[in-house]
């Protein structure tokens, strides 16, 4: 209906809710039935009723006044079919029947009327009275408007601007009718409390007014009065942060081609830990400046620098800024220390296995070597000619030529015996005298208990040159002569107290000097001048006084395992070679610890030797080299010995990981002999 | 919470900062409490009244003298230049970024005014600059002008704390530096006072304060001085001989001074024009630092002084493969020419730097090769040029290069020889021995001996090296260890240098072969 389509309007003329405001005629009038075929509402019955109502309720329903007389039906709102069969149609106000108008028109009459009556289209039949009513122009207008769906009132404007009367802004009607509270009329206590608190806080200065903000910092001459003395204590030791490393060529956007990494280098860089990388970026080349992209780790690097600055403790590090040349000790030049052996002069070939030991006659003409091929060979030094070969029963462990030039005798340690051999070389008178000396021995009457057996050689052995056989109970490791040539000492491979024996040749008499074993004896040595006896165990060298029969000194070698030992002809200095490739120089007057530990060799030292006259000593090692050193000992007690390596002699081939097994100096010349595992003896001059 | 200082309690920075900043600590505590209670009005009020603090005394404490501050300026500058490139939103306070921009621009202007720039380097990380201020070398790096891809694993609060300190430091340093040159601080652009920095075209370019900074950062105008410089200002300094200095040293010093003066006037009289594709700020800065005049497209940046069509332009910096229209009478060059010329301290020949040409390698000016270091051939060439030797025509150049290469090779060989001298000796000894043993062998034979020419020098050398080896044997354990370490380092250096030289040689031969092939192909 019209009311539901438009927003409700106060005082709207067509308001169905207020029918009472319309002046109605006294009687009740039934709506005329709109049975005209031109008058069919498109919306069906509802529209029809609507039109009826509208027409009926229209305040200006003028058609009521156009009726000829007041014939109002009083039947009320009933279906008029009920009166179909009656002649009347209802009752008027006085209760008289209202008769149906006589309708005797047939179809022809109707048609004629339709054709003749110009107002036929606007004539409708009133259902209540059955009378024909002619609609006025206004009514027709109204019907037309309703048909179009427009409002009945011509003057009604559906698109008038809406006037708010109930929203969140305007509320002309109260929502509830509740009367206002009392508290809305009196001042709030809580607010008063709050305000008083604020006032109090302001009074007390707890709340301050907003400060004006000053954004721009002001700068001035901060260092106008520089006073270096006013530095605070904690900044006196201030370590300034190290500057960042300056970039090299490789950081360029267009570096020289050699700085660009190859594919493998790139891969290696990627696989490295970031902390391990030498460069923290991969060098790259760009054609032109336009092609250079942003560096993605720029902020990272600045951040890391910040972290370094405040998290890394700083420390002054003393960098060793030395010229490596300054570190090399200033030694006298080897050229100034000549003579010493420099080149290999002769090779003595003949042995088929490693040559364990060497010895030379005091005159320096003959050399004797003992080998693992169970032979002893005598050589002429100057020609390298093998003068004599002496086949023996076993491996020759040690060999020693009698240092007395008037006696021609060689002590050879073979298995469990020491053989005294007259090589019968050189002066016939000399070796004849030696034989005579040995034969002049007269056995004492009473048999003495000896740790060894002295046996004269058999005739067959005598023919070979063997004169005496000293039979030990154990294998003999080493044999060495006393300087006078009468006594000699032998070392046994044993763990008991009978490791060292001292023999006297002239009396064929042996004795065991020690009651107790002090460890595994490696080698023994007689002092060249004084009655001292040196015994080297694994780690110590003990010095015994043979006359007083007591221990005088115990030298700490600082080595793991002593292999060999030699004494300076002056008698105050000893060198010890060890298997842990060290050579210890002892000055007996100075201390019991080594004066110097030389680590020249790369492998174990097998033997060491002093020269009789020249200030030279040599050491032979498993690395196949012989190192000759200048070892000057001064008569002045205040001056320490001077040790200078002068030559590294190489020549021996390594066999079974063994190089040089023995070294020996020529008694008069500055020559050195070395015997090696390759079965040769070499002479360096 | 933005107000707090974010440093771990153990750091010395924290210690230095926290003692006088108890008010700030109280503020942080209150703010935290208010946040915890969700009292937003209190938070607001507290933030409004955040206690301010100054870092002046800390700067003074840390750098008691001005020189100390200059020595530590590297990080401050790098950080300020980085922060000034940050976007004005997000990562940190806008004020800090603006302040950084202002201070860095001021510093650049100072360097221009004092002409103290010495070295520049285009690295893949950014552009390095080195200036010499009051005798102190100051190096800083600026990133290339791209938007930052802000990393997530970086604590910007730590960086912001540092930047706060650095801006304070840089401000004071700038003030002092400007006053040392009689320049106004804050800087004023010369001749701008009459116009009063107002937009001339009538259209508003930016806010007044901003346009001022923009004009300053255009780096095209010189700064106003407190006292106008008089031409008689450049009085020649009297020279006093320093005690204990020989005449040679004096001469060397004088020469250095001359070179320096020459370098300062490197681009004097040249007029540059920057195309829009080249980085404007670094190039304008460098060119102005060496006395050149520079301009750019008017639409590119404020402060352009002349147009492309200006006939007086001598050099135009371009960075595109080719140019459609070229004006006669000016060189079209790639930006690397400017950088290389500055580092070489002379205007390099322009032929290598034409647009579209394959550029010669850009070398780092910060590398000073010591003896035994690898020197790239380009550097050798450059050194020769600096000494005044004319490289001549290109063909000769190539020959020279070859010669140089050959020389290099010889050097290497010598080095190798030294290394291998021991081994050689061993082999020699072995040979000798073999010869001897052979001669000793039974089928005795006398062959005609060869006259062996004994190289005396060689013998001497051998003897010396042997002496050295023997002396090394006598070293003490500790010294020997140290010596071995040093020698190891030296050998490694030599190895690296050799590797580089080898790589270069391989590269050169590859290029030559390619050239030959091309030639053959052309002929065919």
């Amino acid at each position: 209906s019209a009311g539901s389509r438009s927003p409700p309007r106060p005082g709207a003329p067509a308001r169905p809710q207020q029918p009472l405001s319309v002046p109605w005629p006294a009687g009740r009038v039934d709506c005329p039935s709109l049975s005209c075929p031109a008058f069919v509402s498109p919306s069906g019955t509802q529209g029809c009723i609507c039109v009826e109502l509208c027409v009926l309720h229209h305040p200006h329903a003028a058609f009521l006044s156009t009726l000829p007389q007041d014939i109002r039906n009083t039947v009320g709102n009933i279906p008029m079919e009920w009166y179909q069969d009656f002649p009347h149609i209802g009752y008027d106000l006085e209760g008289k029947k209202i008769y149906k108008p006589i309708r005797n028109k047939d179809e022809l009459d109707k048609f004629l009327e339709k054709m003749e009556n110009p107002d036929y289209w606007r004539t409708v039949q009133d259902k209540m009275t059955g009378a024909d009513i002619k609609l006025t122009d206004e009514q027709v207008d109204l019907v037309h408007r309703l048909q179009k769906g427009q409002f009945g009132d011509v003057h009604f404007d559906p698109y008038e601007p809406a006037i708010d009367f109930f929203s969140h802004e305007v509320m002309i009607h109260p929502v509830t009718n509740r009367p206002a509270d009392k508290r809305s009329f009196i001042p709030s206590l809580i607010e008063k409390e709050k305000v008083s608190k604020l006032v109090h806080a302001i009074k007390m200065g707890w709340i301050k007014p907003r400060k004006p903000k000053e954004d721009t910092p002001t700068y001035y001459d901060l260092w106008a009065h520089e006073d270096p003395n006013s530095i605070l204590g904690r900044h006196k030791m201030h370590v300034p942060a190290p500057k960042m490393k300056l970039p090299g060529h490789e950081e360029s956007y267009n570096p020289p081609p050699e700085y660009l990494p190859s594919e493998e280098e790139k891969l290696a860089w990627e696989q490295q830990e970031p902390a391990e990388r030498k460069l923290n970026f991969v060098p790259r080349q760009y054609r032109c400046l336009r092609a250079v992209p942003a560096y993605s780790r720029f902020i990272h690097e600045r951040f890391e620098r910040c972290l370094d600055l405040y998290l890394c403790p700083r420390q002054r590090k003393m960098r060793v800024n030395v010229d490596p040349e300054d570190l090399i000790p200033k030694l006298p030049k080897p050229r100034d220390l000549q003579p010493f052996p420099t080149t290999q002069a002769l090779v003595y070939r003949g042995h088929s296995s490693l040559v364990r030991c060497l010895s030379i006659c005091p005159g320096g003409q003959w050399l004797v070597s003992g080998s693992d091929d169970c032979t002893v060979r005598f050589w002429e030094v100057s020609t390298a000619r093998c003068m004599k070969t002496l086949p023996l029963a076993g491996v020759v462990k040690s060999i020693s030529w009698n240092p007395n030039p008037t006696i021609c005798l060689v002590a050879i340690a073979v298995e469990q015996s020491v053989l005294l051999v007259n090589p019968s070389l050189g002066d016939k008178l000399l070796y004849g005298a030696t034989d005579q000396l040995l034969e002049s021995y007269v056995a004492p009457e009473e048999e003495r208990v000896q740790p060894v057996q002295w046996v004269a050689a058999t005739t067959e052995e005598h023919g070979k040159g063997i004169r005496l056989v000293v039979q030990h109970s154990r294998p003999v490791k080493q044999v060495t002569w006393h300087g006078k040539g009468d006594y000699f000492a032998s070392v046994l491979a044993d763990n008991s107290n009978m490791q060292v024996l001292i023999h006297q040749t002239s009396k064929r008499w042996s004795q065991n000097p020690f009651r107790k074993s002090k460890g595994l004896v490696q080698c023994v040595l007689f002092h060249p001048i004084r009655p001292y006896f040196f015994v080297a165990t694994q780690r110590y060298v003990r010095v015994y006084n043979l006359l007083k029969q007591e221990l005088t000194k115990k030298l700490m070698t600082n080595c793991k395992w002593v292999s060999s030992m030699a004494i300076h002809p002056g008698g105050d200095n000893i060198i010890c070679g060890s298997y842990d490739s060290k050579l210890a120089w002892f000055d007996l007057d100075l201390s019991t610890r080594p004066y110097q530990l030389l680590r020249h060799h790369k492998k174990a030292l097998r033997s060491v030797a002093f020269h009789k006259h020249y200030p030279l000593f040599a050491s032979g090692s498993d690395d196949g080299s012989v190192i000759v050193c200048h070892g000057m000992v001064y008569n002045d007690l205040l001056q320490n010995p001077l040790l200078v390596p002068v030559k590294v002699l190489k020549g021996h081939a390594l066999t079974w990981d063994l190089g040089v097994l023995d070294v020996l100096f020529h008694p008069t010349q500055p020559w050195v002999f070395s015997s090696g595992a390759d079965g040769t003896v070499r002479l360096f001059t | 919470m933005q107000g707090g200082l974010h440093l771990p309690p153990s750091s010395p920075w924290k210690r230095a900062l926290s003692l006088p900043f108890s008010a700030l600590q109280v503020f942080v505590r209150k703010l935290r409490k208010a946040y915890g209670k969700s009292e937003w009005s209190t938070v607001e009020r507290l933030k409004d009244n955040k206690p301010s603090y100054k870092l002046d005394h800390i700067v003074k404490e840390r750098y008691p003298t001005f020189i100390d501050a200059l020595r530590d300026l590297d990080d401050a500058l790098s950080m300020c230049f980085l922060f000034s490139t940050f976007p004005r939103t997000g990562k940190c306070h806008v004020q800090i970024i603006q302040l950084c921009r202002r201070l860095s621009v001021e510093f650049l202007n100072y360097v221009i005014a004092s002409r103290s720039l010495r070295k520049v380097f285009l690295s893949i990380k950014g552009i390095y600059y080195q200036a010499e201020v009051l005798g102190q070398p100051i190096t800083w790096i600026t990133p290339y002008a791209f938007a930052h891809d802000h990393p997530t694993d970086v604590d910007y609060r730590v960086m912001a704390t540092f930047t706060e300190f650095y801006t304070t430091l840089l401000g004071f340093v700038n003030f002092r530096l400007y006053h040392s040159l009689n320049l106004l601080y804050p800087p004023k652009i010369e001749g701008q006072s009459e116009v009063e920095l107002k937009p001339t075209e009538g259209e508003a370019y930016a806010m007044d304060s901003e346009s001022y900074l923009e004009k300053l950062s255009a780096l095209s105008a010189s700064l106003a001085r407190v006292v106008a410089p008089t031409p008689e200002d450049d009085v020649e300094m009297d020279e006093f001989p320093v005690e204990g200095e020989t005449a040679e040293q004096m001469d060397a010093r004088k020469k250095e001074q001359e070179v320096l003066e020459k370098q300062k006037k490197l681009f004097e009289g040249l007029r540059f024009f920057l195309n829009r594709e080249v980085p404007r700020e670094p190039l304008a800065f460098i060119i102005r630092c060496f006395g050149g005049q520079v301009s750019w497209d008017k639409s590119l940046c404020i402060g352009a002084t002349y147009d492309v069509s200006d006939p007086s332009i001598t050099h135009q910096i371009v960075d595109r493969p080719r140019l459609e229209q070229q004006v006669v009478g000016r060189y079209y060059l790639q930006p690397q020419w400017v950088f290389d010329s500055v580092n070489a301290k002379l205007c390099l020949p322009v032929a290598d730097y034409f647009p579209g040409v394959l550029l010669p390698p850009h070398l780092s000016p910060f590398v000073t090769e010591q003896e035994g270091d690898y020197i790239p051939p380009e550097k050798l060439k450059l050194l020769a040029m600096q000494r005044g030797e004319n490289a001549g025509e290109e063909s000769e150049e190539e020959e020279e290069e070859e010669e140089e290469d050959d020389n290099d090779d010889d050097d290497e060989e010598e080095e190798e020889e030294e290394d291998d001298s021991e081994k050689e000796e061993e082999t020699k000894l072995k040979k000798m021995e073999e010869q001897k043993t052979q001669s000793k062998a039974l089928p005795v034979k006398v062959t005609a001996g060869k006259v062996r020419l004994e190289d005396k020098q060689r013998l001497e050398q051998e003897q010396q090296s042997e002496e050295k080896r023997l002396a090394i044997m006598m070293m003490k354990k500790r010294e020997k260890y140290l010596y071995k370490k040093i020698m190891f380092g030296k050998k490694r250096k030599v190895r690296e240098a050799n590797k580089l030289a080898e790589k270069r040689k391989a590269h050169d031969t590859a290029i030559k072969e390619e050239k030959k092939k091309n030639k053959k192909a052309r002929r065919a």
Side-chain angles (χ1 to χ4, degrees), chain B residues 112-125:
Chain B
I112 291 174
S114 64
R115 295 209 176 169
S116 49
L117 191 68
R118 293 288 171 271
K119 290 168 181 175
V120 283
F121 180 49
L122 291 167
S123 104
I124 54 174
K125 293 183 180 175

Side-chain angles (χ1 to χ4, degrees), chain B residues 23-24 32 45-46 125 176 227 234 260 262 275 304-306 329 341 369 378 386 406 446 508:
Chain B
L24 201 67
R32 197 174 290 146
R45 183 171 53 79
L46 283 172
K125 293 183 180 175
R176 174 93 179 208
V227 186
D234 312 325
L260 196 67
K262 221 173 157 189
N275 258 20
T305 44
Y306 46 86
S341 296
E369 276 93 355
E378 287 84 10
Q386 277 172 345
D406 292 351
V446 180
D508 284 351

Side-chain angles (χ1 to χ4, degrees), chain A residues 207-211 213 215-228 231-232 234-235 238 241 243-244 246-249 251-262 265 278 280-284 286-290 292-295 298-303 305-307 309-311 320 322-325 327-329 331 333-335 344-347 349 596 598-600 627 643-648 650-652 682, chain B residues 7-8 11-13 48-49 54 56 59-66 69 71 74-75 78-79 82 86 99 102-103 121-125 128 137 139 141 143-144 146 148 150-151 153-156 158-159 162 166-168 171-173 175-176 185 279 319-321 334-336 359-364 366-367 369 374 376-377 426 433 436-437 440 463 466-468 470-471 473-475 479-480 482-483 486 490 496 499-500 503-504 507:
Chain A
I207 298 178
K208 284 177 193 121
R210 198 170 291 170
K211 276 182 214 157
K213 281 202 172 170
D215 273 345
T216 48
T218 50
Y219 299 117
Y220 50 93
D221 196 353
L222 190 67
W223 294 280
H225 310 286
E226 273 181 10
D227 183 12
I231 301 171
L232 284 181
R234 71 166 184 270
H235 285 297
H238 175 66
K243 296 199 168 188
M244 282 186 93
L246 289 172
H249 297 313
E251 207 180 310
S252 166
Y253 87 103
N254 182 16
E258 61 267 32
Y259 287 99
L260 293 172
S262 60
E265 281 167 336
K278 226 174 162 193
N280 55 5
F281 59 93
V282 183
R284 285 205 56 189
Y286 297 98
R287 248 179 329 97
C288 52
L289 187 58
R290 194 183 61 232
V292 184
Y295 182 56
F298 195 93
I299 296 177
H300 274 113
E301 278 186 10
R302 293 317 318 167
F303 178 60
R305 172 69 176 169
C306 287
L307 293 188
L309 282 178
Y310 88 89
L311 288 178
V320 190
V322 285
D323 186 12
E325 300 302 318
L327 286 174
I328 298 173
L331 296 174
K333 288 204 168 160
R335 236 175 305 165
Q344 181 176 277
L346 290 173
V347 182
R349 289 173 189 280
Q596 222 164 14
L598 308 175
R599 293 179 187 79
H600 295 170
I627 294 181
L643 308 183
V644 183
V646 287
K647 189 72 191 170
V648 180
K650 286 175 182 170
H652 285 286
R682 286 157 199 263
Chain B
L7 293 175
S11 87
W13 285 83
D48 277 341
N49 275 348
K54 283 187 167 181
D56 306 7
V59 173
K60 174 83 185 183
E61 195 180 286
R62 188 147 283 258
Y63 306 111
T65 61
F66 184 54
R71 263 182 216 144
D74 288 15
D75 293 314
S78 298
M79 195 65 118
L82 172 65
F86 278 176
L99 185 63
R102 197 192 111 194
L103 291 171
F121 180 49
L122 291 167
S123 104
I124 54 174
K125 293 183 180 175
Y128 285 89
T139 318
I141 179 172
Y144 287 114
F146 290 103
H148 291 285
H150 283 287
D153 51 345
V154 162
D155 192 351
Y156 278 87
V158 171
M159 293 197 15
F162 268 90
Y166 284 152
T167 48
T168 319
F172 285 116
V173 169
F175 185 91
R176 174 93 179 208
Y185 190 89
D319 196 2
R320 33 180 99 169
Q334 298 207 35
Q336 197 189 318
L359 288 167
H362 180 58
L363 298 174
S364 166
F366 302 111
V367 181
E369 276 93 355
Y374 171 73
E426 274 176 38
E433 194 207 307
K436 269 175 195 168
T437 49
K440 277 271 160 75
Q463 204 167 9
E466 200 192 338
E467 268 172 29
K468 203 168 151 190
L470 289 172
M473 285 199 320
M474 279 307 283
M475 270 183 178
E479 284 176 355
K480 205 181 211 168
L482 186 63
Y483 179 81
I486 293 172
K490 276 191 172 177
E496 270 165 19
K499 198 174 158 195
L500 283 177
K503 252 175 141 181
R504 177 69 185 214
H507 178 83

